[in-house]
Amino acid sequence: MEEKKKVKLHGFWASPYSKRVELALKAQGIPYEYIEENLYNKSTLLLQYNPVHKMIPVLVHNDKSVVESLVILEYIDETWKNAPKLFQEDPYLRVNVRFLANFLDKEVFESMRPVITTHGEAEEKILRDVTEKLKMMEKQMQDLFPGEKPLVDGKNLGLLYIVVISVLGCYKAAEEAANVKLIDPQETPFIFSWVTALNELPLVKETIQPHSKMAERFRYARQKALQSMS
């Protein structure tokens, strides 16, 4: 019998990787203890449980650690058999959803991050790159899920929903801080509709980083970066 009470998550409030694990645990109804980490002064337990990367998130289940957010989601899906599934049963859908989740992390998110700390021509180039990658992702999503809209009741919150909202859920805070447009409903209406609907789910509202705190964090990072350039 699974000892669900022995689940701990080492995370950081502003990390999309940490937030996606929180979303998955809550969506699956898995009780857990959350441990907020100071990334400038990491706890001994974090270093013990993740000695290779020394980063969050780290899921600890019965004193055994699992690291890297997408690996953690897969572990959750395979361990709690009676909970709603995070991954599709169909092998073709499952591998393609994994591909899209990795693309969102490695391509889209990594392209988006520098927009906060750049300006001028460099910023414009980043925005063009982000738009093109979102358009590529939108085409793949439409091919896999033709006409599908997000689950507005929040049930069966699968892997792709969780990754999309963890990466793109705070886009308005970034737009506000940098005075740019990251997600254009004209360019990527499918992704825009997913993010908009998912942001309204009560589970997402209580888990994803507050807009005001993220906007403040982004503004601080932008101001600091631009000052160092001048």
Side-chain angles (χ1 to χ4, degrees):
M1 186 175 179
E2 297 160 359
E3 297 181 66
K4 294 184 179 181
K5 292 183 179 179
K6 293 188 176 180
V7 177
K8 298 180 181 180
L9 174 63
H10 292 256
F12 176 61
W13 73 271
S15 167
Y17 306 111
S18 177
K19 287 299 178 182
R20 70 179 50 157
V21 178
E22 286 190 71
L23 270 173
L25 290 169
K26 289 179 179 180
Q28 304 302 84
I30 301 169
Y32 67 99
E33 177 187 347
Y34 177 75
I35 301 163
E36 176 74 7
E37 289 286 347
N38 180 343
L39 300 187
Y40 297 101
N41 184 24
K42 297 168 186 175
S43 72
T44 303
L45 281 177
L46 175 62
L47 301 179
Q48 173 189 324
Y49 284 128
N50 190 1
V52 177
H53 299 300
K54 301 178 175 63
M55 290 298 295
I56 53 90
V58 176
L59 184 80
V60 182
H61 181 212
N62 294 333
D63 293 324
K64 295 180 180 179
S65 61
V66 186
V67 302
E68 297 190 8
S69 63
L70 294 181
V71 176
I72 293 172
L73 296 191
E74 191 165 354
Y75 176 82
I76 290 170
D77 195 57
E78 293 180 358
T79 301
W80 281 268
K81 302 291 186 182
N82 296 325
K85 301 299 291 181
L86 296 174
F87 290 78
Q88 282 80 2
E89 295 291 343
D90 181 270
Y92 179 79
L93 282 177
R94 189 163 61 247
V95 297
N96 278 279
V97 163
R98 278 197 181 100
F99 169 79
L100 286 174
N102 276 290
F103 182 81
L104 188 53
D105 268 357
K106 305 300 182 184
E107 299 291 336
V108 177
F109 186 46
E110 290 303 315
S111 295
M112 288 174 59
R113 293 175 72 170
V115 76
I116 295 297
T117 56
T118 56
H119 67 105
E121 291 183 6
E123 182 182 79
E124 292 173 7
K125 182 178 183 300
I126 289 168
L127 291 171
R128 288 195 299 269
D129 186 44
V130 169
T131 298
E132 286 307 308
K133 286 177 177 175
L134 283 174
K135 287 167 72 173
M136 284 190 284
M137 183 167 176
E138 171 140 319
K139 175 65 167 60
Q140 294 293 318
M141 288 169 66
Q142 287 177 315
D143 289 345
L144 274 180
F145 308 105
E148 182 174 327
K149 295 181 179 180
L151 299 173
V152 293
D153 59 0
K155 296 177 181 178
N156 299 318
L157 202 61
L159 173 73
L160 194 55
Y161 291 122
I162 288 172
V163 176
V164 165
I165 201 62
S166 66
V167 170
L168 301 177
C170 296
Y171 81 96
K172 286 186 177 180
E175 289 183 340
E176 180 183 309
N179 194 27
V180 297
K181 181 165 284 294
L182 284 170
I183 302 180
D184 189 333
Q186 302 302 316
E187 295 280 2
T188 51
F190 194 73
I191 287 176
F192 179 81
S193 68
W194 271 45
V195 175
T196 301
L198 289 168
N199 262 329
E200 290 303 311
L201 295 177
L203 182 65
V204 171
K205 285 184 175 182
E206 75 178 43
T207 307
I208 292 297
Q209 309 91 325
H211 172 86
S212 58
K213 286 184 69 175
M214 288 306 296
E216 181 181 354
R217 179 177 174 83
F218 289 147
R219 279 193 295 268
Y220 175 78
R222 183 172 179 81
Q223 182 181 26
K224 190 174 180 180
L226 297 184
Q227 283 177 347
S228 67
M229 295 178 190
S230 60

